[in-house]
Amino acid sequence: MAWAAICLIWGTTYLAIRIGVEDLPPLLFAGFRWFLAGPILFLFLIKKGYRLPGWQDIKRSAVVGILLLGFGNGFVVFSEQWIPSGLAALLITTVPFWIVGIESFYVRGSNLNMKIIIGLLAGMSGVTLIFGSNIISIFDPHYIKGVAGLFVAVTSWSVGTVYSKYNATEVHPLMSAAVQMTIAGTLMTSVSLIIGEHKNLTFTPESVAAFFYLLIVGSLIGYGSYIYAIEHLPVSFVSTYAYINPVIAIFLGWLVLDEVINLELFLSAAIILSGVYLVKRGSVEARTKLSRTDR
């Protein structure tokens, strides 16, 4: 359920980020929603009786929050100033390769197997079929800042995901997520204020709607689901959300904006879903093999 929520929610975030950065300073736009979301989630969990994090929990959560949100999300918003959402979505779909590669070096006795490799390649092929015309744009000099920023974002997000998986806190994953959002949001908002982004702050109905969508749905529900899924599912499988997002985004474009869906999209979706299935099966087999070895 957590993985499905990630796919459904984050499939709409590219458009919301794009709308927001057109009117709001990027770092302030990114940081302030985490700055608000963290305490909201924290207070909710305290009211529900969840245990408070200890010092070691806070330190680990701080590392994850800075990697995933500070650098990961921060540089995505930064990059969206210079590159179109389609190209951003295409580059972000390299996340599964980064995560699986980093995990294979990080963990003794790699969980990698042929089903996972073939599944990742199939998923990437399906996404490339959707955004194939954007590939050449990677080398466009006008997009160099955006492409470089996304490279930092993807790398940091992948490192943070693997670190989070193998350095779990002693508190509930949502409590850890609340701490991550609070720390990263405070740092990002502080840097934004120091460099004077607030001087360029303007509001439009569209940017306000995008901000609150990302605050409530993207941060509280989407990111909370991601941190929960990392703790309970193989990261190779969790990472495949990046393949599903573009399909959802295009489907919503057809549903809401009357955009055209063609046979190529259905073929791409079938390839992507096949890849996700293979990664899931390969992850299950890897975990089973690892548990037998531990005995």
Side-chain angles (χ1 to χ4, degrees):
M1 288 296 293
W3 179 84
I6 295 164
C7 293
L8 181 60
I9 292 166
W10 285 3
T12 62
T13 57
Y14 301 123
L15 179 59
I17 290 174
R18 188 70 179 177
I19 292 171
V21 298
E22 287 178 353
D23 299 303
L24 300 173
L27 193 57
L28 184 60
F29 172 67
F32 195 59
R33 72 179 175 103
W34 300 115
F35 177 77
L36 292 178
I40 291 172
L41 181 57
F42 183 80
L43 292 174
F44 173 79
L45 294 173
I46 290 297
K47 187 176 180 180
K48 290 292 184 179
Y50 285 84
R51 186 165 67 86
L52 290 170
W55 177 237
Q56 290 299 323
D57 297 323
I58 293 174
K59 287 196 295 185
R60 291 173 183 170
S61 296
V63 172
V64 176
I66 291 171
L67 287 172
L68 289 179
L69 303 179
F71 288 99
N73 178 253
F75 273 94
V76 168
V77 178
F78 168 83
S79 301
E80 285 273 24
Q81 297 176 97
W82 290 284
I83 62 176
S85 296
L87 179 57
L90 176 61
L91 292 173
I92 290 173
T93 56
T94 63
V95 161
F97 290 95
W98 285 96
I99 288 178
V100 170
I102 292 169
E103 185 187 28
S104 67
F105 283 102
Y106 191 87
V107 183
R108 288 185 61 187
S110 173
N111 295 328
L112 202 59
N113 57 41
M114 191 55 65
K115 283 186 179 179
I116 293 176
I117 294 173
I118 295 174
L120 291 174
L121 291 173
M124 189 63 190
S125 299
V127 175
T128 302
L129 188 59
I130 295 175
F131 296 113
S133 59
N134 284 287
I135 293 178
I136 194 66
S137 300
I138 296 174
F139 306 101
D140 190 325
H142 295 94
Y143 296 152
I144 186 65
K145 289 183 179 179
V147 171
L150 277 176
F151 176 78
V152 175
V154 166
T155 304
S156 181
W157 186 271
S158 302
V159 172
T161 296
V162 175
Y163 179 88
S164 177
K165 177 67 176 179
Y166 295 99
N167 293 273
T169 60
E170 300 297 325
V171 294
H172 192 277
L174 291 181
M175 181 63 78
S176 177
V179 176
Q180 293 167 31
M181 289 188 278
T182 302
I183 292 174
T186 300
L187 291 175
M188 294 166 73
T189 303
S190 298
V191 172
S192 172
L193 295 175
I194 290 171
I195 64 178
E197 278 194 340
H198 59 285
K199 297 176 183 177
N200 301 317
L201 186 62
T202 59
F203 294 99
T204 66
E206 292 79 11
S207 64
V208 170
F211 176 83
F212 279 103
Y213 171 83
L214 290 171
L215 169 66
I216 298 170
V217 183
S219 298
L220 293 173
I221 302 176
Y223 187 70
S225 298
Y226 187 71
I227 297 300
Y228 183 87
I230 289 174
E231 183 164 320
H232 291 87
L233 298 170
V235 289
S236 56
F237 175 60
V238 175
S239 69
T240 56
Y241 79 88
Y243 294 151
I244 304 296
N245 286 353
V247 177
I248 294 175
I250 292 175
F251 173 77
L252 290 175
W254 166 77
L255 184 66
V256 178
L257 302 176
D258 295 322
E259 294 178 351
V260 176
I261 290 183
N262 52 33
L263 182 61
E264 189 176 80
L265 176 63
F266 285 104
L267 177 61
S268 301
I271 295 173
I272 290 170
L273 291 175
S274 298
V276 170
Y277 173 78
L278 285 173
V279 171
K280 183 177 181 181
R281 293 299 307 164
S283 299
V284 171
E285 291 180 6
R287 292 178 71 180
T288 303
K289 181 180 178 181
L290 186 61
S291 64
R292 289 174 180 171
T293 302
D294 290 340
R295 294 174 189 172

